[in-house]
Amino acid sequence: MLGSNTAVKLRTYDQASPRYAANEAESEYLLEILNVSKGFPGVKALSDVQLRVRPGTVLALMGENGAGKSTLMKIIAGIYQPDSGELRLRGQPVSFATPLAALQAGIAMIHQELNLMPHMTIAENIWLGREPLNGLHMVDHGEMHRKTQALLERLRISLDPEEPVGHLSIAERQMVEIAKAVSYDSDVLIMDEPTSAITEKEVAHLFSIIADLKSQGKGIIYITHKMDEVFNIADEVAVFRDGAYIGLQRADSMDGDGLISMMVGRELTQLFPERTPPTDKIILSVNNLTLDGVFKNVSFELHAGEILGIAGLMGSGRTNVAETLFGVTPATGGEIYLDGERIVMSDPCLAIQKGLALLTEDRKDTGIFPCLSVMENMEVAVLPTFSGSGFVQQKPLRELCEEMCKKLRVKTPSLEQCIANLSGGNQQKALLARWLMTNPRVLILDEPTRGIDVGAKAEIYRLIAYLASEGMAVIMISSELPEVLGMSDRVMVMHEGEVTGCLDREDATQERVMQLASGITAIH
Amino acid sequence: MSTVIENKTAAAPLKARRRIPTELGILLVLFGIGLIFELFGWLMRDQSFLMNSQRLVLMILQVSVIGLIAIGVTQVIITTGIDLSSGSVLALSAMVAASLAQTSDFGRAVFPALTDMPVWVPIMAGLGVGLLAGVINGSIIAITGIPPFIATLGMMVSARGLARYYTEGQPISMLSDSYTAIGSGAMPVIIFLVVAVIFHIALRYTKYGKYTYAIGGNMQAARISGINVKRHLIIVYSIAGLLAGLAGVVASARAATGQAGMGMSYELDAIAAAVIGGTSLAGGVGRITGTVIGALILGVMASGFTFLGVDAYIQDIIKGMIIVVAVVIDQYRNKRKAKR
């Protein structure tokens, strides 16, 4: 458990040890990571990495998927143990055997994946494991409520502490996670892509919270893939690539192109590829599609070779439209025509037969089979075509999977590797491969690049553009406006279950889309 | 497509790595337990435990019935389900099959008009009863969405009641020779092994198997990937029911009688066999080979304890502990493997 190979006597935190007293050894840095290495089966996740966090600053961490950022953060938060190297907190060497030890030492982490209990209330979730107790050693609900109320007020989050987390939107849950991390009153706060699931409004809110924390002298480590966020809040940017620390840029001398080439280790010519104009042939036509209580009267036409972007805030019904098109939640009204033929999309099975494919928004919930191999994850949608006799034709299927892995650059030690061991970006590529193997005519992508690094993004964009140029019709739902605007031939904007506008490529600007998405026609 | 996506950094070569079969560990446990009994055999009874073909045959015979159920239950557990009804369904199908397999020499047959039937009639009836119970289980679970634990608990109670009601608790005997032949000699073992091979192949090499694992891995993702989850669940539970029915036929043929108390708590032994064999109750993981070894472990323990003359109650105490310890060790092993 303990890295006893270091000469310095390590100070270990266990449940009983008190909070580290400040000023024990004055150091310029709040947290220092020195020569940390960590390996996993078949992968060297981190080799000889270093990082320093000053009090009162935001250190942004950037790098492609699998660069080792999340692994390093998990080491800092006590979830993983380093194979070698040293952690220093305020100049003192430390070692965290458990996440609890790290928390007690003043390091809190907001995870990329949400870790809240849906059936428990906001207050119960925030104080889980450290509930305030009354004289009888029973949970003091009143006190818990008051503390939560105060915390939420301080962070200007307008949620009821007694609301079950299951009733909240993903963005609201993310805000609860943030509140929970802040509630530990930690000195070091790690945020692993906190904005991947929230809209611009909440991002601005989060940034104001970060500014407050900064002014209180906290050190913040902020992992992100979004360049604009870095320019907005970071004081320093550390770049990782392939498990190694590449370098650091200071905020005052930051340069975007340089940053990207540091990250990918190569020049990125252009993020968004050239598009070939769509054809006139209508493949999919949707007429007044309605799902009672969720969205209504959605109509659009989709041409062969076209990319239709769907923009809108979380909860605007974008994802629901995709799910209804795909038969996951059959429509309660309206018509869907494919090649002029009316189709009642009753279940995903039919949708796949008709040539539709849906890459879902939530990789963990509705995408991967976590305990199955990469190949088993990829092959699942094409099994009917490879098992005419009931027996799966292993050899051609394996060849197809290998080919797709190469084409999409899925980084995996083997097709037998359990998919849960891959990085998020590689999981996403494997899922995209799953759908491309079905040769769809209409490809629906819901947040195709969420949590994916710049290099992989550019690849996915080029792939989408290529597929469209081959005549595939693409619907792309995304919260990232640059992506929607950069890729789409037309952008359909939704607000609270209704289409508020459909903009051609020339007319679609960030401002115009945001206006329509917030449902106001007046000046913002 | 390869023209658009340049290979900037060469992706790692995708080689099909040969892995050590996950069953190896549990197989070693089986041999280990066998050797322990061998040792105690020489120490306490001055004779060999393993070098007694009669005992081994008897042991495998006893394992066959539980093993048949366990093969069905394994598939149900892989889908994150559970089947508690298999022991009761076994009893019901044994009763129905036996009632149609009686000879006319017997004055008090259940159905005097239906004696001396060709042997396929009781077999089909027994299998049919099992299949029907499975279809009902699966349909209730798939259509209403109630937890499999509850649905099959209901079937467990009802099927046992029905088995007793069928003859008001009277055992059914005087079965035809052609029927009891199913249970004599090595037949049960052959049936068990054939069924095991069939479902081993089905799970690993067919669409049916792939879908079963996918549903257990992530039901929502399975649905979006075009799998008809409800229909598939009904099929899986029906197979489990069918195998319980088959176990009922084999058990009644071997005992040459049908009794409503047959197969009592067999469902728990079957679940234990599956879990000892590495099937995860969380779903998505499990193999027939593991379950067969798991069933053999239970068989070796029962046979070994009897051989040593251990009290039946104490047998149960030790059996319970060994089930838990086996799974703890297995889990620990898997965790270590995942970390390395």
Side-chain angles (χ1 to χ4, degrees), chain A residues 41 266 326-328 348-349 352 358 360 364-372 376 379-381 383-384 387 390-392 394 398 402 405-410 412-414 416-417 434-435 459 462-463 466-467, chain B residues 1-17 19 201-202 204-208 210-211 213-228 283-285 337-340:
Chain A
R266 57 183 180 260
F326 201 65
V328 180
C349 204
I352 294 171
L358 169 65
T360 54
K364 198 171 157 191
D365 270 12
T366 55
I368 63 166
F369 303 106
C371 45
L372 300 189
E376 283 164 327
E379 72 190 6
V380 63
L383 279 175
S387 56
F391 281 92
V392 178
Q394 300 278 355
R398 167 172 283 277
E402 281 177 357
C405 271
K406 280 202 196 97
K407 279 180 180 166
L408 302 190
R409 285 216 303 141
V410 181
T412 171
S414 78
E416 276 65 43
Q417 178 74 32
R434 175 195 290 173
W435 289 115
E459 272 171 42
R462 251 185 289 176
L463 181 69
Y466 170 78
L467 294 168
Chain B
M1 239 182 271
S2 52
T3 48
V4 267
I5 300 162
E6 307 151 36
N7 252 339
K8 284 155 204 146
T9 57
L14 302 170
K15 45 181 188 282
R17 258 193 310 184
R19 286 183 299 185
I201 292 171
R204 298 204 64 189
Y205 302 109
T206 68
K207 193 171 77 168
Y208 163 80
K210 301 272 179 189
Y211 280 9
Y213 285 108
I215 288 174
N218 185 338
M219 211 173 275
Q220 196 56 27
R223 184 162 174 246
I224 286 173
S225 303
I227 299 173
N228 190 332
V285 179
K337 207 165 53 189
K339 265 191 188 159
R340 287 205 57 79

Side-chain angles (χ1 to χ4, degrees), chain B residues 71-96:
Chain B
I71 290 167
V73 167
T74 300
Q75 300 172 58
V76 167
I77 295 178
I78 291 172
T79 67
T80 66
I82 194 89
D83 188 353
L84 298 177
S85 68
S86 38
S88 302
V89 170
L90 180 153
L92 181 60
S93 82
M95 293 298 280
V96 172

Side-chain angles (χ1 to χ4, degrees), chain B residues 193-207:
Chain B
L193 291 180
V194 167
V195 167
V197 169
I198 289 174
F199 284 101
H200 177 73
I201 292 171
L203 277 184
R204 298 204 64 189
Y205 302 109
T206 68
K207 193 171 77 168

Side-chain angles (χ1 to χ4, degrees), chain B residues 33-254:
Chain B
I33 294 177
L35 288 177
I36 290 173
F37 281 124
E38 178 73 21
L39 188 70
F40 275 100
W42 286 109
L43 285 177
M44 292 166 64
R45 307 233 359 227
D46 209 21
Q47 54 171 288
S48 171
F49 171 63
L50 295 172
M51 299 299 153
N52 184 332
S53 54
Q54 220 180 332
R55 174 160 37 244
L56 290 188
V57 168
L58 189 69
M59 185 201 88
I60 298 175
L61 272 171
Q62 280 164 341
V63 163
S64 303
V65 171
I66 300 251
L68 280 172
I69 300 177
I71 290 167
V73 167
T74 300
Q75 300 172 58
V76 167
I77 295 178
I78 291 172
T79 67
T80 66
I82 194 89
D83 188 353
L84 298 177
S85 68
S86 38
S88 302
V89 170
L90 180 153
L92 181 60
S93 82
M95 293 298 280
V96 172
S99 71
L100 296 171
Q102 286 176 303
T103 57
S104 52
D105 315 341
F106 186 46
R108 289 180 291 127
V110 181
F111 302 114
L114 297 176
T115 50
D116 288 334
M117 305 274 273
V119 69
W120 59 265
V121 174
I123 294 176
M124 284 302 153
L127 296 182
V129 166
L131 182 66
L132 183 67
V135 171
I136 294 172
N137 275 338
S139 305
I140 291 175
I141 291 160
I143 294 166
T144 67
I146 67 169
F149 188 96
I150 303 298
T152 59
L153 179 72
M155 178 58 76
M156 167 182 150
V157 176
S158 295
R160 181 71 66 187
L162 201 54
R164 294 212 169 94
Y165 179 75
Y166 192 66
T167 57
E168 319 254 85
Q170 296 301 311
I172 303 170
S173 49
M174 297 302 282
L175 309 184
S176 68
D177 290 345
S178 54
Y179 183 76
T180 52
I182 305 165
S184 62
M187 266 310 270
V189 180
I190 293 169
I191 293 173
F192 168 49
L193 291 180
V194 167
V195 167
V197 169
I198 289 174
F199 284 101
H200 177 73
I201 292 171
L203 277 184
R204 298 204 64 189
Y205 302 109
T206 68
K207 193 171 77 168
Y208 163 80
K210 301 272 179 189
Y211 280 9
T212 306
Y213 285 108
I215 288 174
N218 185 338
M219 211 173 275
Q220 196 56 27
R223 184 162 174 246
I224 286 173
S225 303
I227 299 173
N228 190 332
V229 174
K230 288 184 179 175
R231 194 181 65 192
H232 198 84
L233 281 180
I234 295 176
I235 294 173
V236 171
Y237 280 91
S238 301
I239 287 173
L242 183 69
L243 291 180
L246 179 59
V249 171
V250 170
S252 60
R254 189 163 159 250

Side-chain angles (χ1 to χ4, degrees), chain A residues 321-498:
Chain A
V321 170
E323 286 178 349
T324 300
L325 277 178
F326 201 65
V328 180
T329 48
T332 50
E335 300 108 47
I336 299 170
Y337 296 91
L338 199 64
D339 294 324
E341 181 201 347
R342 179 156 183 212
I343 290 172
V344 179
M345 283 298 177
S346 50
D347 67 291
C349 204
L350 179 70
I352 294 171
Q353 274 170 26
K354 294 290 178 189
L356 268 67
L358 169 65
L359 185 70
T360 54
E361 178 185 20
D362 193 325
R363 202 161 49 229
K364 198 171 157 191
D365 270 12
T366 55
I368 63 166
F369 303 106
C371 45
L372 300 189
S373 72
V374 173
M375 175 157 164
E376 283 164 327
N377 266 280
M378 286 171 70
E379 72 190 6
V380 63
V382 288
L383 279 175
T385 46
F386 279 88
S387 56
S389 59
F391 281 92
V392 178
Q393 297 152 16
Q394 300 278 355
K395 219 174 150 234
L397 192 54
R398 167 172 283 277
E399 278 161 13
L400 178 64
C401 288
E402 281 177 357
E403 190 190 322
M404 291 308 286
C405 271
K406 280 202 196 97
K407 279 180 180 166
L408 302 190
R409 285 216 303 141
V410 181
K411 266 196 219 164
T412 171
S414 78
L415 282 177
E416 276 65 43
Q417 178 74 32
C418 168
I419 197 161
N421 292 347
L422 301 192
S423 71
N426 281 314
Q427 289 179 6
Q428 186 77 338
K429 286 190 209 167
L431 290 183
L432 193 56
R434 175 195 290 173
W435 289 115
L436 294 184
M437 279 157 69
T438 67
N439 288 322
R441 302 175 55 222
V442 179
L443 178 64
I444 309 171
L445 305 167
D446 197 351
E447 303 281 8
T449 63
R450 172 182 289 178
I452 285 191
D453 57 75
V454 187
K457 264 186 188 172
E459 272 171 42
I460 287 184
Y461 294 149
R462 251 185 289 176
L463 181 69
I464 296 171
Y466 170 78
L467 294 168
S469 75
E470 293 282 284
M472 195 181 286
V474 179
I475 296 175
M476 191 170 89
I477 300 170
S478 175
S479 299
E480 286 186 46
L481 278 183
E483 168 176 302
V484 176
L485 300 176
M487 293 296 295
S488 312
D489 296 300
R490 281 182 302 147
V491 181
M492 185 169 95
V493 190
M494 294 190 65
H495 170 73
E496 292 188 353
E498 282 180 68

